[in-house]
Amino acid sequence: MNGRILRIETRRSLAPWAGSGIAGSTLVFLFLLGGDPTEDPSAWTAQWTSLALWTRGVLFYAWPLAMGAGALQGLRDSRSKMPELLSSTPRPAWHRAASLGGTTAAVLASAFALLVLAGGVQVLANTEYTHFRWVPISLVGALFLAAGAVLGMGIGRSLPSVFTPPAVVMAAFLLCQLLLMQSVPLASGVAKWKEVTGAGPLPSRAALLSPAIREPRETLLTLSPAVQAGQTLWVIALAATGLALLAAASRRARLLALVPALAGAVIALLILPSESDRTYVLDKAAARKVCDGAVCVTAARQARLAGLAGPGEKALGLLKDALGSRAPAGIRERTTITPYLEKRERSREDILIDFDDEVIRYAKSDEDLTRALLGLGLAPQCTAFGVLDAQSVASSWVMGNFRMLPSAPGLAADLDEKNARAAWKKLTALPKAEQRERIDAMHAAAFSCETDPIEALTGGGSR
């Protein structure tokens, strides 16, 4: 397909309108719901991998729109009452299919590229860590959008009805939602996820056939090579089926056109993983340790090291006075990815931090950061659910005055503050020696994960 054909088909088709509409609406969606990179480390413009994963995530509605636009474009010949005329011309059917489908695919892939470019400009301003391991994730997203449009065109040409485009949009949207509901997030395997959430009958590897993926929650995670290979094969098969449907002139040819999609699905399911720990994997290069004295972060967070080092050294000194020989000797960023419903890694040698945790995320000053590190050192979290009340009391006890750790405003924060103030009042009413015993009991409870730290701090019972 030369440039002249591309220009002519672009002017005659709906592709420019579809591409600009999908790119514009998706960009608005990401700006509204993609998070603030100054507060959320996994926001869509905070890191390169986050950008790729977020732009893939919004395909849950962009892909159905692309299919619908393609189906509408596929009705062009029937609306013009030209099928018989075109079938009598010497030009091969596959040639027309390639020119029309290729034009639409190129325009929609370019629209996705512009979306990534718009986010990439902002990522450059928000992070100093640059890599190219995110590119395959975005390339598969562009392929999905292009293949969806071509497949929609093939369906529209095979089923020439005014009801075909809206039916295609609704069917594609419902399929995406069904597959996303079946996908396994950072849960402890398929069995536990289904037990806890009541997920339906589809195997999780089938859910990975969806063009959309769940929005990122961990900044050090990326899609595994198996996922990218399986999805690439699947999307190429979809594009092949779309082109075959565009070129098909008989019912038998249309049935044969379904073979690439069916074969691609079977082979892709053999490649795609079924466990979450093989779907999302740790980016080892991004997780490489970078240190300033006893304070260490990952390579992806190296820009945060300068601001963390001072408060970190101060917190370690204060913990040495509070815990003596049991005090942690260093601070390091957590790199083990823990399933959402399971216990997190804890260490007696180091304070483990996660920049996604709200006590770190909402720290606005060095004192906020010092208090947050004290709270994490004295009462490390067992699960993704925080122990803000116990951490606030513990850090206040070391600093000598009560102050809640920073967190997201809301009912949960109000309840934590109420519990923390009550616990602080009980704790400070005790003799100094007994106060230290309560702090030690809270520290032990946080590591055992068998007793609520705030209950241990106030002398209450177990959970």
Side-chain angles (χ1 to χ4, degrees):
M1 180 172 62
N2 58 38
R4 179 172 174 270
I5 295 176
L6 177 62
R7 289 192 298 272
I8 293 173
E9 289 291 354
T10 300
R11 288 197 301 268
R12 294 177 62 200
S13 72
L14 296 171
W17 295 100
S20 58
I22 290 173
S25 60
T26 304
L27 198 60
V28 171
F29 181 91
L30 286 170
F31 273 115
L32 291 176
L33 301 178
D36 183 352
T38 61
E39 295 183 351
D40 185 359
S42 60
W44 80 290
T45 55
Q47 297 284 346
W48 289 105
T49 303
S50 297
L51 168 67
L53 294 175
W54 268 103
T55 49
R56 282 290 304 279
V58 296
L59 290 183
F60 80 92
Y61 90 95
W63 188 69
L65 290 180
M67 283 198 66
L72 187 60
Q73 180 66 36
L75 299 179
R76 185 177 70 179
D77 291 350
S78 64
R79 290 199 311 267
S80 303
K81 303 184 185 302
M82 295 174 57
E84 292 185 6
L85 174 62
L86 293 172
S87 63
S88 65
T89 61
R91 185 182 183 189
W94 66 265
H95 196 280
R96 292 192 66 254
S99 61
L100 181 58
T103 300
T104 304
V107 171
L108 288 181
S110 300
F112 189 85
L114 288 175
L115 178 68
V116 174
L117 179 62
V121 171
Q122 299 175 79
V123 173
L124 285 173
N126 291 327
T127 182
E128 297 178 3
Y129 182 66
T130 301
H131 63 93
F132 297 99
R133 294 181 301 280
W134 60 275
V135 174
I137 302 174
S138 291
L139 284 177
V140 174
L143 286 175
F144 261 117
L145 207 59
V150 174
L151 181 61
M153 291 170 64
I155 295 174
R157 191 175 187 279
S158 301
L159 302 172
S161 168
V162 293
F163 299 106
T164 298
V168 165
V169 172
M170 290 303 300
F173 181 77
L174 291 175
L175 177 62
C176 281
Q177 294 305 309
L178 175 62
L179 294 177
L180 277 178
M181 286 191 295
Q182 305 299 324
S183 62
V184 180
L186 288 181
S188 51
V190 180
K192 176 172 280 192
W193 176 243
K194 289 184 176 180
E195 177 185 344
V196 173
T197 64
L202 284 179
S204 60
R205 68 179 63 200
L208 291 174
L209 296 177
S210 169
I213 56 178
R214 289 179 177 269
E215 66 274 12
R217 296 298 184 188
E218 296 281 351
T219 55
L220 297 178
L221 283 182
T222 188
L223 289 177
S224 69
V227 173
Q228 297 188 46
Q231 290 186 337
T232 301
L233 179 64
W234 166 238
V235 73
I236 291 174
L238 288 179
T241 290
L243 287 173
L245 286 173
L246 268 176
S250 65
R251 180 176 298 179
R252 183 167 179 262
R254 293 187 184 101
L255 291 175
L256 288 175
L258 302 178
V259 172
L262 295 175
V266 171
I267 299 174
L269 289 175
L270 295 176
I271 299 174
L272 294 169
S274 59
E275 295 82 18
S276 61
D277 56 357
R278 292 179 56 216
T279 300
Y280 298 96
V281 295
L282 181 70
D283 186 339
K284 294 182 179 179
R288 179 176 54 86
K289 187 186 294 186
V290 180
C291 299
D292 182 351
V295 182
C296 299
V297 297
T298 61
R301 306 290 192 187
Q302 188 170 354
R304 301 287 299 269
L305 183 58
L308 184 67
E313 294 289 353
K314 181 178 180 180
L316 290 173
L318 293 171
L319 284 173
K320 182 68 174 177
D321 296 336
L323 297 176
S325 61
R326 294 178 292 112
I331 297 172
R332 63 181 171 89
E333 185 178 354
R334 182 184 286 107
T335 56
T336 55
I337 305 302
T338 305
Y340 187 72
L341 302 173
E342 288 192 353
K343 294 178 181 178
R344 304 174 87 179
E345 175 194 9
R346 296 172 303 286
S347 172
R348 295 187 182 276
E349 289 75 31
D350 298 302
I351 300 174
L352 299 183
I353 65 170
D354 191 332
F355 287 101
D356 291 332
D357 289 341
E358 62 178 359
V359 291
I360 300 293
R361 184 192 305 178
Y362 289 97
K364 301 299 184 184
S365 64
D366 286 351
E367 183 180 354
D368 285 346
L369 199 50
T370 299
R371 285 177 176 268
L373 293 170
L374 287 172
L376 291 169
L378 289 167
Q381 296 176 211
C382 283
T383 65
F385 301 101
V387 284
L388 186 66
D389 46 8
Q391 291 173 343
S392 296
V393 174
S395 61
S396 298
W397 182 80
V398 174
M399 297 293 286
N401 63 299
F402 179 79
R403 182 175 171 183
M404 284 296 296
L405 294 180
S407 64
L411 294 176
D414 294 341
L415 180 60
D416 282 330
E417 182 171 1
K418 180 180 178 181
N419 293 338
R421 289 188 180 278
W424 173 257
K425 185 176 181 180
K426 288 183 180 180
L427 179 66
T428 53
L430 299 172
K432 288 291 185 181
E434 193 168 346
Q435 289 182 28
R436 182 173 292 275
E437 291 178 1
R438 292 289 179 87
I439 293 293
D440 290 342
M442 179 209 64
H443 186 61
F447 274 97
S448 70
C449 289
E450 295 178 356
T451 305
D452 193 333
I454 197 69
E455 293 292 338
L457 192 63
T458 57
S462 61
R463 294 181 186 179

